[in-house]
Amino acid sequence: AIVLNQSPSSIIASQGEKVTITCRASSSISSNYLHWYQQKPGAFPKLVIYSTSYRASGVPSRFSGSGSGTSYSFTISRVEAEDVATYYCQQGSSNPNTFGAGTKLELK
Amino acid sequence: EVKLVESGGGLVQPGRSLKLSCAASGFSFNDYWMGWVRQAPGKGLEWIGEINQDSSTINYTPSLKDKFTISRDNAQNTLYLQMSKLGSEDTAIYYCAREGRGYVMDAWGQGASVTVSS
């Protein structure tokens, strides 16, 4: 199975700050199959970015993604209070699909 | 509006079985792959498995393949997860999700809580 290593495991950021999360895969993944989810406390996960860089419907433009091969990143250009959540990367390139361990974003 | 509603969760004794259901509405259910994901208390997301449109392909994460069975009823727009030989390690919230292109999970249910305890 492809292992996704997410870093950092937690981030403490100030409002307005830029944050970046990295997702590194143990084997190369097609960029069409790398996705990012947001899970707010007590809620179900919500798709934020699909196929590396495409924002899901209704997702603000401050969220973006990039990458290729084994290295992918997720960025929030200016963190807002409502962005407090845990973020997960997921790959569907190779069976079984797998998730990263998650990155918990908190506000300073 | 796409809607996924899980049911069938609850408290179950170790070694017993439980079957979860996921009722889908707001989209053409038989056009999509569907999947299950679980989340143990305080832990991350774990992909359980997926099923294609006509049930001809079902994939599982290897560690759960012998105890979990995924099925669907397209006439009833319902996805199922049959769980057997449950242990405390299976205590989790179980989510069903619709899978889109690239196996993205683009719609999620609110989750069903399963607690395995005597």
Side-chain angles (χ1 to χ4, degrees), chain B residues 58-79:
Chain B
I58 307 174
N59 298 315
Y60 299 94
T61 199
S63 61
L64 299 176
K65 185 177 181 182
D66 293 334
K67 55 190 288 184
F68 286 8
T69 302
I70 296 172
S71 62
R72 65 191 293 165
D73 182 341
N74 287 342
Q76 298 293 324
N77 291 341
T78 303
L79 175 72

Side-chain angles (χ1 to χ4, degrees), chain B residues 26-73:
Chain B
F27 65 101
S28 183
F29 181 72
N30 57 10
D31 283 344
Y32 287 86
W33 285 67
M34 297 294 295
W36 288 97
V37 173
R38 72 179 181 179
Q39 186 170 36
K43 302 296 184 182
L45 302 174
E46 179 181 20
W47 187 83
I48 296 171
E50 63 189 355
I51 185 168
N52 75 339
Q53 291 89 335
D54 65 2
S55 305
S56 60
T57 300
I58 307 174
N59 298 315
Y60 299 94
T61 199
S63 61
L64 299 176
K65 185 177 181 182
D66 293 334
K67 55 190 288 184
F68 286 8
T69 302
I70 296 172
S71 62
R72 65 191 293 165
D73 182 341

Side-chain angles (χ1 to χ4, degrees), chain B residues 8-23:
Chain B
L11 176 64
V12 59
Q13 292 180 326
R16 303 297 289 261
S17 298
L18 194 68
K19 188 171 186 177
L20 302 181
S21 301
C22 170

Side-chain angles (χ1 to χ4, degrees), chain B residues 72-93:
Chain B
R72 65 191 293 165
D73 182 341
N74 287 342
Q76 298 293 324
N77 291 341
T78 303
L79 175 72
Y80 300 102
L81 179 65
Q82 175 72 52
M83 304 182 288
S84 63
K85 303 172 194 172
L86 287 166
S88 58
E89 69 277 7
D90 299 312
T91 293
I93 297 176

